[in-house]
Amino acid sequence: MYEAEGLAREGMALAHPNPRVGAVVVKQGLAVGRGFHDYDRRDHAEIVALKQAGDSARGAALYVSLEPCCHTGRTGPCTEAIVAAGIRQVFVSMIDPNPSVAGRGLAALKRAGLEVHVREADDDYARETNEDFAKWIQTERPFITLKTALTLDGQIAMRPGHSTSISSQPSRDFVQRLRHESDALLTGIGTVLVDDPLLTDRTGQPRRRKLLRAIVDSHLRLPLGSRLARSAKGDVIVFTIESPQARKGRALKRAGVEVFRVRARRGRVDLREVARELGRREMLNVLLEAGAALNGGALEADLVDKLILFYSPRIMGTGGVPMAQISSRWFPKSPVLGHMMVDRYGPDFVVQGYIHDVYRDYRGRRKN
């Protein structure tokens, strides 16, 4: 099962909008077939493993990180292929959060006479692997992770409008891995004007779709000479309340930047509209790398599911910029992070935790 779950991770940046799944066929103690899902290659992980196993699949056991599907989509039901291959036992890490499956796949296998085993409690590692899919398939909105680097006293910059390097190289390397796992990166125009970033996935690892670089820019201030605009090749989108037909909007479009108008909320881009549109574009996993204003807006709009905070072992002192520009009235109702973890990357320590449990908070919620 650990091998199947590890194989599922091979689908990072390759499986979406489908879930990441790994499968292993075992016969007489030996793995005779292995597979993970790559969307462009169509076959689900179970089918890849069964094809590799061939005739050896008859009478074997199948270990799979996610419940096999039982409906027809781009491919036929995996449950039917498993039965036809002669598999006798199926071991599953977790139930599929897709309402179209959600236990029906296991029930189909049992009706066919297979011995089915599912963990009493869904496996945490397997759940984390598909937490983005779980939210998107239930709500059609992306799983949003807020990532930021800050000092021990909670500052992200020395002063407003000033770029400050805080985290270490090992932390920055880890951020690149986070970008590789993401479908889109979201930032604000303030960060763009200060840092002139590229916001790319520089891991060099394969990905099915380019990392979508999204900018919240209410009044179309993105400079045509910025690195984002100059490098745009259908992978940069600006969310604005201005008309795309305005002079600046047309100029950005000519530069290869998509300008997408959303409704205003208190004179600024409605972040809920941004989340809905990213979900409509099958962006399951969004990494928020922004400044205090956008961080605060996303938190107050209850759009953030997970926090990853990179703490540098340094103190900045007074006059710095906090990680989130947010009303003090928010604190009494602010959530306590769940499932917290602490890691080290070079001299920095990283705190990760969840605001939402996607397998509990979004279950049964109507898509909107």
Side-chain angles (χ1 to χ4, degrees), residues 88-349:
R88 288 291 175 260
Q89 292 179 302
V90 177
F91 297 83
V92 175
S93 288
M94 61 174 287
I95 303 297
D96 193 334
N98 185 349
S100 298
V101 185
R104 295 180 179 87
L106 297 181
L109 294 173
K110 290 177 181 177
R111 286 196 301 270
L114 276 69
E115 186 179 326
V116 176
H117 304 268
V118 61
R119 299 198 177 184
E120 292 182 5
D122 284 346
D123 183 272
D124 287 342
Y125 187 77
R127 286 161 64 97
E128 183 184 358
T129 299
N130 280 307
E131 59 195 8
D132 42 19
F133 172 78
K135 181 181 179 183
W136 179 78
I137 200 65
Q138 294 175 98
T139 69
E140 294 182 349
R141 295 192 187 185
F143 182 93
I144 298 180
T145 300
L146 189 162
K147 162 266 162 188
T148 194
L150 59 169
T151 58
L152 288 178
D153 52 344
Q155 313 295 313
I156 63 173
M158 292 180 66
R159 59 182 181 273
H162 185 272
S163 181
T164 307
S165 179
I166 292 177
S167 58
S168 65
Q169 188 60 49
S171 291
R172 291 194 287 272
D173 291 342
F174 179 57
V175 170
Q176 286 300 317
R177 295 201 296 274
L178 292 175
R179 288 184 181 182
H180 180 68
E181 295 174 4
S182 302
D183 298 316
L185 194 154
L186 180 64
T187 195
I189 186 60
T191 297
V192 174
L193 294 176
V194 170
D195 295 336
D196 191 21
L198 269 175
L199 304 178
T200 52
D201 171 4
R202 295 189 285 276
T203 62
Q205 298 177 23
R207 56 183 308 132
R208 190 176 79 81
R209 304 179 290 187
K210 289 182 179 179
L211 177 69
L212 181 66
R213 296 174 287 170
I215 304 101
V216 175
D217 182 8
S218 295
H219 301 294
L220 289 182
R221 293 190 291 156
L222 178 66
L224 292 169
S226 66
R227 296 205 293 170
L228 277 167
R230 287 188 286 113
S231 65
K233 294 182 179 179
D235 58 346
V236 175
I237 181 172
V238 171
F239 290 101
T240 184
I241 61 175
E242 303 290 345
S243 170
Q245 301 307 315
R247 178 184 296 180
K248 183 64 174 291
R250 295 197 306 271
L252 287 170
K253 184 177 180 179
R254 287 194 296 270
V257 175
E258 181 181 357
V259 178
F260 191 91
R261 189 178 191 178
V262 298
R263 68 184 179 188
R265 185 181 180 87
R266 299 175 185 171
R268 295 185 178 183
V269 163
D270 186 336
L271 297 181
R272 294 183 179 88
E273 287 286 308
V274 172
R276 274 192 283 270
E277 178 59 22
L278 290 173
R280 190 189 67 79
R281 294 173 183 238
E282 298 183 338
M283 299 291 113
L284 279 60
N285 187 321
V286 174
L287 184 63
L288 176 60
E289 292 190 42
L294 186 51
N295 285 345
L299 286 167
E300 285 194 303
D302 196 28
L303 296 176
V304 177
D305 296 294
K306 184 177 183 179
L307 291 178
I308 303 182
L309 309 177
F310 292 80
Y311 282 93
S312 170
R314 304 167 68 187
I315 294 175
M316 187 171 291
T318 58
V321 179
M323 68 162 283
Q325 194 177 87
I326 199 165
S327 169
S328 59
R329 294 190 299 271
W330 186 72
F331 179 73
K333 61 180 181 182
S334 65
V336 176
L337 292 187
H339 305 289
M340 284 184 57
M341 299 176 291
V342 179
D343 292 305
R344 286 286 301 272
Y345 289 93
D348 306 332
F349 67 93

